[in-house]
Amino acid sequence: ISRLLLCLDVASLENLSATCYYFDQLIAGKFLLSLHFPFPVGFIKEVMADDSFEKKPLLKLSCKKTRNNYNTFLNIPDYSDPSSFHKMITSISPEMMDYLLSSQMSLLSLHKLRELDLVPDSVKQDDRLLGQRILDSYSNFDCSLLQHISRLGTLRCLTRLDVLVDQNMYLEQFMAELPNLLELGLTILTRYGL
């Protein structure tokens, strides 16, 4: 049955894991099925509350660049202004981006990573398509994330990759490192008149 599970995508594994205790232990007991990146505040709170932390192999990593606001310090309401991952990604310096990627990725076991979803929640802002500056910020973040995963040598495990691209195609530098890629989802957003 373990070999059969290798043929299923992560969404199917999540559904199968929810059916009974046996599959839950077989799948979710061995793997961290999916996780959003940068880590949601709720996940960070879970890690902080535990005395120990087990690094299970992660199967799917998503970076949706959500615009939903969150407070970093949930227990101290007036300590920080609400922010969003979209705001963080579009305003972060390259040095801080590398630090964020390194510090959060060090908590993950990516040697079995099968799916990577880098398409944002929405490609619209105020009923208009995203501007070039935001697209560039998203592309820089996604490229840095792929470079980090590449340095770990785990791009070769990916079977599914979903990305947002524009006329500046950064993805070609990684294609040789994706020998097991079965599905490539491209969300293409480009300027008029090119």
Side-chain angles (χ1 to χ4, degrees), residues 61 113-118 145-146 149 158 160-162:
L61 186 65
L113 186 67
R114 292 168 47 181
E115 297 182 17
L116 184 58
D117 182 0
L118 302 176
L145 181 60
L146 283 165
I149 295 171
L158 284 184
R160 182 178 185 165
L161 175 62
D162 293 297

Side-chain angles (χ1 to χ4, degrees), residues 118-173:
L118 302 176
V119 178
D121 277 345
S122 175
V123 293
K124 290 191 173 191
Q125 179 178 359
D126 302 324
D127 294 328
R128 294 180 19 208
L129 292 177
L130 296 175
Q132 192 62 45
R133 187 186 69 76
I134 293 173
L135 275 174
D136 290 343
S137 296
Y138 284 2
S139 292
N140 290 338
F141 187 85
D142 293 348
C143 188
S144 293
L145 181 60
L146 283 165
Q147 286 171 341
H148 191 82
I149 295 171
S150 173
R151 281 190 291 257
L152 299 172
T154 54
L155 280 180
R156 62 179 158 61
C157 300
L158 284 184
T159 58
R160 182 178 185 165
L161 175 62
D162 293 297
V163 293
L164 172 68
V165 293
D166 64 358
Q167 68 276 1
N168 304 314
M169 185 69 158
Y170 65 89
L171 199 56
E172 63 192 47
Q173 65 183 301

Side-chain angles (χ1 to χ4, degrees), residues 4 14 17 22 62 65 96 100 102 106 112 135 144-145 150 160 163 183-184 187:
L4 180 63
E14 288 175 326
S17 176
Y22 173 75
S62 298
K65 300 154 191 88
M96 283 305 296
L100 172 73
S102 295
S106 68
K112 294 201 182 230
L135 275 174
S144 293
L145 181 60
S150 173
R160 182 178 185 165
V163 293
E183 290 183 49
L184 176 61
T187 300

